[in-house]
Amino acid sequence: MSFPVRAITLDLDDTLWPFAPIGARIERVLDHWLRQHCPRTAARFPIPEMRALREQVFAENASLLHDLTGLRKLSLVRAMELSGDDPAHAEAAFEVFYAERNRVEFYDDAEHALERLAARVPVVALSNGNADLRVIGIDHHFAFSLGAREHGAAKPEPSIFHAACDRLGLPREQVLHVGDHVDMDVAGACRAGLRSCWLNRPDDADEVASWPHADIRPDLEFTTLAALADWLDTSHAATAAPTLESA
């Protein structure tokens, strides 16, 4: 399939890097910090209990699901208050969390593919997460970043997709959204009027998922970001090729 792409909006977690290893490392490092600075919190909320408390806080504050930073801080304050530690430590604990959150290990193809995409069209980071592109060191590849916290609503809400297109100054059908999540990324983009690309990376067993919806489908599906970069190169080359009239 070929269609005009004048810009790309790009998901981050599980698109450029896997998030599961980051999440596991955050839990270990934060637990170690709490044992040193907030021992009562660490004793009452070891990793599984801290995870359960965080999920409870998230569930109780559904109106803040676009603000993962705020929810993380709220979870830390709640844990410290319940344990008898000074909740003023929550800010320092969050800094520990955030440093680890921005230590990412890219998928093997991702960095070079991102560079190739950005050389073709403007690329916008469109994420529900709270990664810092400058700290990670890839902000120079992006025209801008639009996060759910900044916008006030998270994917798959159409408004965040529309805001990115408006800021780009482009019609929605000329913007391609790329991401791994079936509903938040692909279905969300389709329903917002953008083109969509499902990045369906193989799992640990080298198997890819099957598309689950009958009423909506992605415009493109690839197993690597490099394959999307190849498609974009070919698409742009075809567009730029001279016709008989112009030759």
Side-chain angles (χ1 to χ4, degrees):
M1 179 183 292
S2 181
F3 48 83
V5 173
R6 294 182 60 193
I8 288 173
T9 56
L10 185 67
D11 178 54
L12 300 176
D13 290 326
D14 293 320
T15 295
L16 292 181
W17 52 74
F19 183 76
I22 301 171
R25 190 180 66 247
I26 286 170
E27 289 182 328
R28 294 192 302 270
V29 171
L30 185 58
D31 182 69
H32 178 73
W33 187 91
L34 290 170
R35 290 180 187 280
Q36 291 182 310
H37 300 277
C38 299
R40 284 174 288 192
T41 300
R44 180 163 180 180
F45 293 102
I47 289 174
E49 285 73 15
M50 183 65 83
R51 188 184 304 136
L53 177 65
R54 185 174 68 248
E55 292 172 356
Q56 178 185 338
V57 169
F58 279 38
E60 291 173 353
N61 295 274
S63 63
L64 296 177
L65 287 179
H66 64 281
D67 184 2
L68 297 183
T69 292
L71 285 172
R72 277 280 184 176
K73 290 180 179 180
L74 189 59
S75 299
L76 290 166
V77 168
R78 175 81 63 84
M80 291 171 188
E81 288 177 339
L82 290 172
S83 305
D85 281 321
D86 186 350
H89 287 298
E91 282 296 331
F94 178 79
E95 291 303 318
V96 171
F97 153 79
Y98 202 53
E100 293 301 318
R101 195 266 178 271
N102 288 306
R103 286 179 54 209
V104 307
E105 293 186 11
F106 293 91
Y107 291 110
D108 289 342
D109 67 296
E111 282 190 278
H112 185 235
L114 173 60
E115 182 178 0
R116 291 173 59 196
L117 294 173
R120 287 288 188 187
V121 296
V123 179
V124 173
L126 197 67
S127 176
N128 287 353
N130 54 2
D132 188 319
L133 300 180
R134 182 189 59 80
V135 173
I136 293 169
I138 56 172
D139 56 312
H140 58 285
H141 292 308
F142 292 89
F144 61 88
S145 175
L146 181 60
R149 185 185 191 199
E150 172 191 354
H151 175 65
K155 297 177 295 182
E157 287 296 322
S159 65
I160 191 169
F161 295 101
H162 296 167
C165 294
D166 291 345
R167 190 164 166 185
L168 284 162
L170 292 173
R172 297 162 191 172
E173 64 272 14
Q174 293 183 4
V175 178
L176 175 69
H177 180 70
V178 182
D180 71 290
H181 200 283
V182 166
D183 295 309
M184 292 183 184
D185 288 309
V186 182
C190 289
R191 291 176 178 133
L194 283 71
R195 295 286 189 168
S196 64
C197 174
W198 185 27
L199 196 59
N200 185 15
R201 292 187 181 276
D203 60 18
D204 292 338
D206 203 31
E207 296 181 354
V208 296
S210 299
W211 181 253
H213 298 308
D215 61 329
I216 196 168
R217 292 199 63 85
D219 294 291
L220 300 170
E221 178 182 341
F222 298 110
T223 59
T224 67
L225 201 63
L228 171 62
D230 290 341
W231 177 88
L232 191 63
D233 284 347
T234 300
S235 177
H236 273 233
T239 301
T243 64
L244 289 176
E245 290 80 4
S246 62

